[in-house]
Amino acid sequence: MTTDLAALQARHLDTLEAAYATTLSHHGFDGVLLYSGHPHRHFADDQEASFATHAHFLHWVPMPGLAHSWLLIQPGKPPRLYFHAPDDFWHLPAGLPDEAWVSRFAVEQGRFEQPPALPGGRFAVLGEVAPDLAASLEAELNPPALTAALDEGRVRKSDYEVACLREANRHAMAGHRAARDAFLAGGAELDVQLAYLGASRQRESALPYGNIVGLNAHGGVLHYQHYDTAAPARRHSLLVDAGHRYRGYCADITRSWAGRDADPLFAPLVDGVTRLQRRLIDALAPGVDFVALHARMHRELGALLVEHGLVTASAEAAVAGGITRAFCPHGLGHLLGLQVHDVGGRRATDGSPLPPPQTDPMLRLTRELEAGMVVTIEPGLYVIPLLLAPLRASSAASDVDWAKVERLAPHGGIRIEDDVWITRHGADNLTP
Ligand code: GLY
Ligand code: MN
Ligand code: MN
């Protein structure tokens, strides 16, 4: 950790202490106990599932993977960290890093499968805590109003958080370059995944989400989850949606590549989606309505489909007839932070719900952009048989050149995704 990052983190924690004091007092609490969570065991087994530390805990303690630990926040007192590090000769116990933030916490090390006793007063406990345990603590478990207010406190990122997100992006891009090279060298999906992990220096269980590595038609499965071990004979395309976690903060990046057997239609479409993504990023600034920007993505996708002859009607007709939504069923992007799909995307600042439009139920961000938010911008264009079959049976079918759609089908799809910080006057792309 650099001195600069330590200084940014100190300011981040100053801000967090002040914000928690205000929020707790507003909601009538004397304090809150944040639980890191712990991994689940497989049934009748002694093996554990992979695990992600609770994000509100990580907001303070930059140790993703830390389990069975608790953090007590009481305004006016140093945060008290109950750090689970039991004596164990089967495993290496967690250790506190030699970093400046540790000295501002009151730390107790030991066994904390059971929660620490709380002082008298009104307390909340946040995290995956068994209800009977919370009742024995005499604390309110995940009270919705307090939870929503603390979620809102994660929507605008501090300079420390932006620095962490930038670093996560830097590692992820090293992985993406290696993934592309492994694909061009003839590798199978598993080879691409292993090349990504090696170059981004991360084990699979530490990733912020399961990397999506789709060769050929698998690129059209939005969250494709397998890694074929055999390389296909025909190499049309690769879609890689893969991230990295740095001190808990997530990168979420997608790249699409044409293979040696790609149809001449495909590479210009990758280029078109890339340029469309750049235009949308250029439009980012505080005050921009993300729902309106999502609508613009559809208009421009319509124009792209017309330009390349996939749609024979106008761009407007492609949007109105539901054609663009059959080719791209997901949202333009989402908030990014300690969670890939970060909290607070569908609520206004005052906590009132902002549901997505009926036409776009998958849109995860429906609010106006503000300085400090970090968002993904990820337009896509896919051949998804499940969505194109109803279009083919609809009145809009005659507006589509189905022969061209068939030529594209073996390529699956295209997605280009970057992570962008909304600054006071515009935006800064964190993806190098
Ligand atoms: N990687 C999941 C997403 O892009 O939202
Ligand atoms: Mn994303
Ligand atoms: Mn993604």
Side-chain angles (χ1 to χ4, degrees):
M1 187 187 190
T2 63
T3 319
D4 285 354
L5 193 61
L8 290 179
Q9 189 186 17
R11 288 218 295 278
H12 167 77
L13 290 171
D14 289 344
T15 308
L16 212 47
E17 283 187 13
Y20 263 61
T22 306
T23 304
L24 288 169
S25 144
H26 180 76
H27 290 267
F29 285 98
D30 296 303
V32 60
L33 184 64
L34 305 175
Y35 180 45
S36 66
H38 61 268
H40 292 278
R41 289 233 163 136
H42 301 305
F43 181 70
D45 203 338
D46 62 356
Q47 298 298 308
E48 294 174 339
S50 65
F51 164 69
T53 303
H54 192 260
H56 283 293
F57 182 94
L58 279 178
H59 207 190
W60 294 81
V61 178
M63 298 186 67
L66 184 64
H68 292 296
S69 297
W70 306 78
L71 182 68
L72 179 61
I73 308 295
Q74 278 181 288
K77 298 189 177 168
R80 181 165 288 276
L81 175 60
Y82 299 90
F83 188 83
H84 184 69
D87 292 338
D88 185 352
F89 54 80
W90 290 102
H91 306 98
L92 186 70
L96 279 163
D98 181 17
E99 293 184 357
W101 65 267
V102 176
S103 63
R104 66 189 283 161
F105 287 63
V107 181
E108 289 185 33
Q109 299 201 50
R111 273 207 105 85
F112 293 110
E113 277 110 347
Q114 296 300 313
L118 287 173
R122 184 176 175 222
F123 282 83
V125 53
L126 253 62
E128 214 176 333
V129 179
D132 55 332
L133 215 57
S136 74
L137 277 170
E138 296 188 14
E140 291 169 49
L141 179 57
N142 298 317
L146 177 68
T147 305
L150 295 178
D151 286 353
E152 182 62 21
R154 282 178 29 207
V155 165
R156 285 158 294 274
K157 271 64 184 178
S158 66
D159 290 345
Y160 162 75
E161 295 180 285
V162 173
C164 291
L165 287 160
R166 201 187 289 281
E167 189 64 6
N169 266 261
R170 197 174 65 76
H171 286 280
M173 276 316 289
H176 276 278
R177 284 188 283 272
R180 175 202 56 198
D181 293 348
F183 168 62
L184 295 178
E189 287 169 353
L190 184 67
D191 300 309
V192 174
Q193 164 76 337
L194 294 176
Y196 181 94
L197 294 174
S200 63
R201 309 299 298 158
Q202 192 145 59
R203 64 192 292 176
E204 194 168 340
S205 59
L207 291 169
Y209 55 94
N211 284 349
I212 299 161
V213 178
L215 255 114
N216 298 343
H218 292 158
V221 181
L222 296 180
H223 283 174
Y224 174 67
Q225 73 276 40
H226 303 294
Y227 306 109
D228 275 355
T229 53
R234 304 272 298 158
R235 304 183 68 79
H236 300 288
S237 64
L238 172 71
L239 183 152
V240 178
D241 182 344
H244 188 91
R245 243 186 218 281
Y246 182 74
R247 299 174 77 85
Y249 290 89
C250 306
D252 177 14
I253 300 173
T254 310
R255 291 291 180 266
S256 301
W257 307 103
R260 61 161 194 242
D261 300 314
D263 188 281
L265 261 178
F266 185 69
L269 276 173
V270 174
D271 198 41
V273 175
T274 305
R275 280 187 282 125
L276 159 55
Q277 192 240 21
R278 295 284 147 76
R279 290 194 296 277
L280 295 172
I281 289 175
D282 287 345
L284 295 173
V288 167
D289 175 1
F290 206 75
V291 177
L293 197 64
H294 173 84
R296 177 174 163 190
M297 173 186 81
H298 275 286
R299 288 196 302 276
E300 298 208 13
L301 273 175
L304 188 68
L305 290 167
V306 171
E307 181 191 339
H308 293 272
L310 285 144
V311 166
T312 50
S314 68
E316 294 73 27
V319 177
I323 296 174
T324 59
R325 284 176 172 80
F327 280 98
C328 181
H330 61 67
L332 168 62
H334 48 85
L335 292 173
L336 182 72
L338 289 164
Q339 289 163 238
V340 174
H341 298 148
D342 213 12
V343 286
R346 288 176 172 179
R347 276 180 194 277
T349 313
D350 66 4
S352 56
L354 288 175
Q358 272 187 348
T359 46
D360 303 279
M362 306 298 175
L363 185 59
R364 297 175 195 270
L365 176 55
T366 51
R367 54 196 286 174
E368 219 174 70
L369 297 180
E370 293 173 51
M373 289 178 173
V374 174
V375 301
T376 66
I377 296 294
E378 47 181 305
L381 182 54
Y382 314 87
V383 178
I384 303 175
L386 211 60
L387 301 181
L388 292 176
L391 181 65
R392 210 165 185 153
S394 78
S395 57
S398 58
D399 294 337
V400 176
D401 182 335
W402 294 102
K404 280 195 169 168
V405 173
E406 291 309 320
R407 280 169 55 194
L408 271 186
H411 307 74
I414 301 163
R415 180 161 66 253
I416 306 291
E417 176 176 27
D418 284 3
D419 304 339
V420 188
W421 172 35
I422 310 303
T423 60
R424 273 195 293 164
H425 303 294
D428 181 355
N429 192 341
L430 303 177
T431 306

